[in-house]
Amino acid sequence: MEKKNRSGAVIFSPYVKGEAVKKVVSMKREDVLFDLRESKLKGRGGAGFPTATKWTLVAAAASTEKYIVCNADEGEPGTFKDRVLLLEYPELVFDGMVIAGYVIGAKLGIVYLRGEYEYMLKSLEDYLETMRKENLLGKDIAGKTGFDFDIIIRLGSGAYVCGEETALIESLEGNRGEARNRPPYPVNTGFMGKPTTVNNVETFAAVSHIVIKGGAWYCNHGTDKSTGSKLFSVSGDCEKPGVYELPWGTKISELLELVGAKNTKAVQVGGASGFCIPKTQFDRALGYEDAATGGSIMIFNESRNMLHVLKNFMEFFVEESCGQCTPCRIGNTKLLEGVEMIEKSEFTFGYINKLKELGKTMQVASKCGLGQSSPNSFISILENFKEEIFNSGGSHGK
Ligand SMILES: Cc1cc2nc3c(=O)[nH]c(=O)nc-3n(C[C@H](O)[C@H](O)[C@H](O)COP(=O)(O)O)c2cc1C
Ligand code: SF4
């Protein structure tokens, strides 16, 4: 696992394997949680839930058995930053999991690894073995009597919904990957019915740095409500696609400049389940205050047909809906049919407006985040690119 020459203010800043683990065992749990609260770190999996709050809830839950789960399902179209972290910076991710185990009082951490990443399984397991040899995993970690913790890796099988934390837990338990009703939440009733924290790969990586450098240092990066930096997976029409670490608050126009994007007409922020932003809004800032994202940035230049882009997203959601609840199962099919009607110029504006209303109903009535977010592209692309889509009569472009 070789590091590329990456640089960044937080995640890609220097870090020595095991240093946060060695430091944390001399700290009180409350002090670690204090640093995390001070950092205002929000989960990097997309929903942006404060990490300190989640960990405090699991730490406080009354149970002798608790679990740490690292969500490495990375199923959102256009995201590949967790792959880079696991391959090039496993020390950050695994040390972050050990820290979580210490703070929460768990004995086992489980990495739920995207099925398509099976090729990295062996190297990750070898890496865990070196951690065991160096007393960074196993019994009495880093010399701390009674602090026992280990990490295992389990593979997913390619279902997008299994990235949703409750479906992921079902899958880990050997069941069909379907979202659970919430509440109860995993912090109380998670893996095997026990208190569990599920966090994104990048969240654990950020924690390792925060333990070493402190919450106040972390807040020096980013904005007031979006502290720290973010890894962005940049793909599409640009000269330099790849993974970039940028402070929250970076404008979309600045990112486009950095990656060598020319003649850009649209940027899809947050993957297929995110929002499509038109050229007139490229001065918007990436962050929780404005354009929030788990990290996927897809760039479309003037040659792209936005109806085709939308069709591609809706086909994905029809395929990936688990079918448990009606708004998502039927709703996504109806939205895709609407796109096909526009394509064939066999639509009325009245019907398309009804579909947009259906999309809004899906956002509130679907059981899990998949159906709650799948209409975002439908609504934002039809709204922001209506002239192109409706004036062209849906003509086929690239
Ligand atoms: C359909 C769907 C797919 C998701 N996929 C992922 C994923 O691949 N990785 C991830 O970290 N979170 C994913 N999430 C979010 C998780 O449910 C959860 O919020 C996250 O893992 C919590 O970690 P965090 O607090 O560190 O962000 C997904 C959510 C939904 C609704
Ligand atoms: S919203 Fe979609 S993916 Fe989620 S439970 Fe309902 S049918 Fe399944």
Side-chain angles (χ1 to χ4, degrees):
M1 282 177 280
E2 213 174 294
K3 274 189 187 42
K4 296 230 175 92
N5 197 15
R6 299 181 191 275
S7 63
V10 178
I11 299 287
F12 295 151
S13 69
Y15 177 82
V16 178
K17 177 185 184 186
E19 63 174 322
V21 172
K22 287 174 192 155
K23 178 172 177 189
V24 92
V25 293
S26 65
M27 292 172 75
K28 288 193 197 141
R29 288 171 162 195
E30 308 83 82
D31 293 339
V32 187
L33 286 171
F34 177 86
D35 278 350
L36 271 188
R37 232 183 326 274
E38 194 183 27
S39 76
K40 300 196 227 164
L41 172 67
K42 290 183 174 148
R44 296 316 198 211
F49 192 81
T51 306
T53 309
K54 195 184 276 186
W55 288 19
T56 304
L57 288 168
V58 184
S63 174
T64 49
E65 203 180 320
K66 299 179 184 181
Y67 294 97
I68 311 297
V69 174
C70 174
N71 190 341
D73 197 50
E74 192 149 60
E76 187 63 49
T79 164
F80 40 91
K81 47 113 189 158
D82 293 341
R83 178 181 74 198
V84 164
L85 279 175
L86 286 165
L87 275 177
E88 297 177 32
Y89 300 84
E91 67 277 18
L92 285 175
V93 182
F94 294 139
D95 287 2
M97 290 180 73
V98 177
I99 294 161
Y102 180 76
V103 170
I104 283 160
K107 297 220 173 318
L108 185 66
I110 308 169
V111 178
Y112 188 84
L113 185 67
R114 178 183 174 81
E116 291 85 340
Y117 292 169
E118 190 178 0
Y119 68 93
M120 60 170 95
L121 185 61
K122 165 102 178 52
S123 58
L124 291 176
E125 292 200 318
D126 288 349
Y127 187 89
L128 291 174
E129 200 46 43
T130 66
M131 284 180 74
R132 286 181 197 111
K133 287 190 181 126
E134 291 165 21
N135 192 217
L136 295 169
L137 277 180
K139 285 207 167 301
D140 301 331
I141 291 175
K144 178 82 176 178
T145 310
F147 175 36
D148 305 340
F149 184 78
D150 211 334
I151 296 176
I152 56 172
I153 304 175
R154 291 289 173 266
L155 279 174
S157 293
Y160 172 58
V161 75
C162 285
E164 194 279 336
E165 58 184 11
T166 61
L168 184 157
I169 289 168
E170 283 292 314
S171 168
L172 272 182
E173 290 179 0
N175 304 324
R176 194 183 153 113
E178 289 183 340
R180 293 176 175 173
N181 285 323
R182 302 180 340 153
Y185 293 95
V187 289
N188 291 309
T189 311
F191 180 62
M192 305 308 278
K194 303 294 178 193
T196 302
T197 183
V198 181
N199 286 107
N200 176 252
V201 171
E202 188 184 346
T203 309
F204 287 115
V207 167
S208 295
H209 282 294
I210 291 167
V211 163
I212 292 295
K213 293 156 192 156
W217 165 84
Y218 193 76
C219 289
N220 289 335
H221 306 276
T223 69
D224 186 37
K225 290 207 175 93
S226 310
T227 55
S229 68
K230 181 78 192 83
L231 297 189
F232 295 100
S233 312
V234 181
S235 64
D237 297 316
C238 65
E239 284 163 8
K240 293 176 277 180
V243 172
Y244 290 80
E245 177 175 7
L246 297 171
W248 278 127
T250 301
K251 290 198 166 136
I252 293 172
S253 54
E254 292 169 334
L255 182 142
L256 291 174
E257 172 91 35
L258 185 71
V259 303
K262 309 246 163 57
N263 301 320
T264 308
K265 85 166 155 191
V267 177
Q268 180 77 14
V269 174
S273 65
F275 295 86
C276 198
I277 296 186
K279 193 163 29 186
T280 49
Q281 297 176 23
F282 285 174
D283 60 345
R284 289 178 62 181
L286 296 160
Y288 300 108
E289 300 91 328
D290 189 357
T293 169
S296 168
I297 302 279
M298 294 183 220
I299 302 172
F300 299 101
N301 71 18
E302 293 291 352
S303 74
R304 303 291 165 183
N305 177 323
M306 295 312 290
L307 194 63
H308 282 180
V309 171
L310 176 57
K311 187 176 177 190
N312 186 284
F313 291 160
M314 294 322 303
E315 283 171 344
F316 172 76
F317 289 124
V318 168
E319 176 77 23
E320 295 295 337
S321 167
C322 84
Q324 244 194 114
C325 71
T326 311
C328 173
R329 185 183 65 245
I330 307 292
N332 282 310
T333 308
K334 288 288 159 201
L335 299 190
L336 175 60
E337 279 172 15
V339 173
E340 288 164 347
M341 288 163 122
I342 300 172
E343 217 174 32
K344 292 188 229 147
S345 295
E346 288 171 1
F347 66 94
T348 64
F349 284 107
Y351 186 65
I352 297 300
N353 285 337
K354 279 210 174 102
L355 288 181
K356 284 194 209 156
E357 289 306 313
L358 171 67
K360 288 180 189 158
T361 305
M362 290 165 65
Q363 287 171 332
V364 291
S366 295
K367 181 172 172 181
C368 86
L370 192 153
Q372 288 159 7
S373 61
S374 62
N376 293 346
S377 298
F378 185 87
I379 295 170
S380 64
I381 291 183
L382 290 189
E383 198 49 50
N384 291 325
F385 298 90
K386 51 178 169 256
E387 287 188 9
E388 169 188 325
I389 288 173
F390 296 112
N391 290 345
S392 70
S395 65
H396 288 248
K398 214 165 159 190

